[in-house]
Amino acid sequence: MEGKCVDSTPPRPAEWPPVTSSELWTRATADRYDAEEAEMSSATVLEPTLTFLAELAGDGRALEFAIGTGRVGVPLRERGVPVAGIELSEHMAAVLRRKIDEDTLPVAIGDMATTVVPGEFTLVYLVYNTITNLLSQDEQVECFRNAARHLAPGGRFVIELGVPPLRYLPPGQVAVPFDVSDRHLGFDTFDLVEQILVSHHFTRDGDDGRYRRGNSRHRYAWPAELDLMARIAGLELDRRVADWDGAPFTQDSAKHISVWRKPA
């Protein structure tokens, strides 16, 4: 949840110190991100996401924390929703800037827990498990506080996050696979004391049998823990569903879309 390539120097926070635990995305990772996440950028995936977010934004503005290369923010802006973004990686923001100009979709470089952008928003959102890039509970609480700081009364904060798959861990095992395919092997390992998971990726490059290895650290959190973070930030749970289509959230759901509201 990272040569300067963005068009202008974006605002940075003056009052709150930056959060630094998030791992910074490199230029190489940013340049291949869209190709590796092509399925997540498909109409099948994006259409319900954009519909859900656009309905919550209404006639107001939307702010995306960790906007990345604009997978969601750019098409949401193209739907007519005024969107701004915060992004830690200048390399990811540079890829976004190839798609859309700064005046149409402004992006501030900084972390999502402390960076402040001008104005109020009816919607702040954080998708694709990205709150886990903040590696401590305190930082995740600050992310909620930052969302509340930007929201207009009655506005909403949305998070898309997987449910920690600890039910798949038999005694003594610390790894859970999440993708096994011809071109990619992915599995998570868990530190159950610190609530840290490490995602490991082995990605096949070309057809010569070589694999590229990568990993990233994340702090997983349960839905109830997020609700407490929201309460600390002055937000209240509005609804929780299992996917962007609005399926009911149950004990068997693999992820959740949670919406918290700032009281009017």
Side-chain angles (χ1 to χ4, degrees), residues 73-125:
V74 171
L76 187 61
R77 181 65 186 90
E78 291 171 348
R79 284 199 173 201
V81 178
V83 177
I86 294 172
E87 173 54 43
L88 182 62
S89 168
E90 295 184 1
H91 300 301
M92 295 288 278
V95 175
L96 177 148
R97 196 53 66 219
R98 299 170 197 164
K99 306 171 185 177
I100 194 166
D101 63 80
E102 176 74 17
D103 289 338
T104 306
L105 200 166
V107 175
I109 301 299
D111 71 80
M112 57 188 163
T114 62
T115 303
V116 178
V117 300
E120 285 189 326
F121 299 83
T122 58
L123 173 67
V124 178
Y125 65 95

Side-chain angles (χ1 to χ4, degrees), residues 16 20 73 76 91 102 111 138 144 147 157 159 180 199 202 233 251:
W16 296 275
T20 57
L76 187 61
H91 300 301
E102 176 74 17
D111 71 80
D138 286 344
F144 273 82
F157 182 35
I159 285 181
V180 179
S199 287
F202 293 84
Q251 65 179 1

Side-chain angles (χ1 to χ4, degrees), residues 16 19 65 111-114 126 131-132 134-149 157 159 219 221 224-235:
W16 296 275
V19 168
F65 284 177
D111 71 80
M112 57 188 163
T114 62
L126 182 55
I131 193 171
T132 66
L134 299 171
L135 298 179
S136 75
Q137 186 181 70
D138 286 344
E139 292 175 357
Q140 291 177 356
V141 169
E142 288 306 312
C143 181
F144 273 82
R145 284 179 167 154
N146 201 30
R149 187 178 295 136
F157 182 35
I159 285 181
R219 182 186 186 272
E225 185 181 5
L226 298 182
D227 289 342
L228 185 56
M229 294 181 190
R231 183 181 297 182
I232 291 170
L235 305 176

Side-chain angles (χ1 to χ4, degrees), residues 51-252:
T51 298
F52 191 105
L53 295 174
E55 289 178 354
L56 287 180
D59 296 328
R61 302 168 66 213
L63 173 63
E64 181 171 356
F65 284 177
I67 194 170
T69 65
R71 179 183 68 90
V72 174
V74 171
L76 187 61
R77 181 65 186 90
E78 291 171 348
R79 284 199 173 201
V81 178
V83 177
I86 294 172
E87 173 54 43
L88 182 62
S89 168
E90 295 184 1
H91 300 301
M92 295 288 278
V95 175
L96 177 148
R97 196 53 66 219
R98 299 170 197 164
K99 306 171 185 177
I100 194 166
D101 63 80
E102 176 74 17
D103 289 338
T104 306
L105 200 166
V107 175
I109 301 299
D111 71 80
M112 57 188 163
T114 62
T115 303
V116 178
V117 300
E120 285 189 326
F121 299 83
T122 58
L123 173 67
V124 178
Y125 65 95
L126 182 55
V127 299
Y128 208 12
N129 304 318
T130 313
I131 193 171
T132 66
N133 290 359
L134 299 171
L135 298 179
S136 75
Q137 186 181 70
D138 286 344
E139 292 175 357
Q140 291 177 356
V141 169
E142 288 306 312
C143 181
F144 273 82
R145 284 179 167 154
N146 201 30
R149 187 178 295 136
H150 286 91
L151 285 173
R156 290 172 172 84
F157 182 35
V158 177
I159 285 181
E160 175 189 23
L161 183 59
V163 176
L166 302 189
R167 295 168 66 186
Y168 296 104
L169 286 176
Q173 181 173 311
V174 296
V176 174
F178 58 84
D179 184 38
V180 179
S181 61
D182 289 341
R183 307 200 72 85
H184 179 254
L185 169 64
F187 61 93
D188 293 330
T189 55
F190 293 84
D191 180 335
L192 302 181
V193 174
E194 298 296 331
Q195 283 187 218
I196 296 293
L197 71 83
V198 180
S199 287
H200 303 264
H201 301 267
F202 293 84
T203 306
R204 187 176 179 182
D205 282 333
D207 296 318
D208 58 2
R210 291 182 301 169
Y211 280 79
R212 172 172 34 88
R213 179 178 181 178
N215 60 71
S216 58
R217 293 184 301 151
H218 306 268
R219 182 186 186 272
Y220 64 85
W222 301 95
E225 185 181 5
L226 298 182
D227 289 342
L228 185 56
M229 294 181 190
R231 183 181 297 182
I232 291 170
L235 305 176
E236 53 193 33
L237 184 65
D238 185 75
R239 59 175 150 151
R240 174 169 291 127
V241 292
D243 57 34
W244 295 107
D245 288 313
F249 179 74
T250 72
Q251 65 179 1
D252 295 319

